[in-house]
Amino acid sequence: MTGTRNLSGIHVTQHAPCWGDLDFAVADDRWKNATDLIRLCEPVLYVCGNCPFRAACIRQVRPSKSEFSGICGGRIWVNGVIVRTLPDAGPEDLPPPVNRKACGTAAGVRAHRRAVEQQCPKCESFDQGGQLELPDSA
Ligand code: SF4
Ligand SMILES: [Zn+2]
């Protein structure tokens, strides 16, 4: 992972391809906004493509909850939001879904997305059905 490495309890494994790579330690004072961070991180994001620890990386860092900025689990995150994803990084890297009352509806799909977790089976079939509500302004 990149970004702040002093989050408590986070220990990127020595077997990870990013271990000790200074390009994965972007200092906070080197970027001011998402564009800066993407420019710094995108050239090394490919390294996550060979990493067998993508899901573990996301489990450890919990980037959504910790509002993480940097590379984690094959994605570039800015304040806990994914702004770039490796083409082959699938939802299986993300935490399992929380079941909610809204599951099986567009609101359920959105709730999973906001929590940056996998879609549950009910929401997944709904999501793939292309039945998402269009915004009011559409
Ligand atoms: S997924 Fe990427 S950032 Fe995480 S341990 Fe692997 S190489 Fe490092
Ligand atoms: Zn659901």
Side-chain angles (χ1 to χ4, degrees), residues 78-94:
V78 178
N79 297 324
V81 175
I82 296 171
V83 293
R84 287 285 186 284
T85 303
L86 277 177
D88 75 329
E92 65 278 2
D93 298 334
L94 301 175

Side-chain angles (χ1 to χ4, degrees), residues 27-130:
D28 288 346
D29 62 3
R30 288 185 64 201
W31 63 280
K32 287 197 178 99
N33 52 40
T35 307
D36 292 345
L37 192 63
I38 291 167
R39 181 177 43 78
L40 290 166
C41 292
E42 207 158 35
V44 290
L45 181 61
Y46 77 93
V47 174
C48 296
N50 296 323
C51 181
F53 306 112
R54 287 205 302 240
C57 186
I58 291 174
R59 264 201 316 276
Q60 274 193 0
V61 178
R62 301 172 82 202
S64 179
K65 283 210 168 103
S66 62
E67 301 191 346
F68 175 78
S69 296
I71 295 179
C72 174
R75 283 117 171 128
I76 301 174
W77 306 72
V78 178
N79 297 324
V81 175
I82 296 171
V83 293
R84 287 285 186 284
T85 303
L86 277 177
D88 75 329
E92 65 278 2
D93 298 334
L94 301 175
V98 172
N99 287 315
R100 301 179 177 89
K101 271 192 188 163
C103 280
T105 70
V109 173
R110 283 196 299 268
H112 293 307
R113 284 202 188 127
R114 284 183 190 135
V116 198
E117 61 193 25
Q118 296 172 32
Q119 295 286 333
C120 77
K122 275 160 85 180
C123 289
E124 196 170 43
S125 54
F126 186 84
D127 197 16
Q128 288 174 348

Side-chain angles (χ1 to χ4, degrees), residues 133-138:
E133 291 164 11
L134 292 171
D136 291 341
S137 58

Side-chain angles (χ1 to χ4, degrees), residues 17-28:
C18 66
W19 176 257
D21 187 332
L22 292 180
D23 286 340
F24 274 72
V26 179
D28 288 346

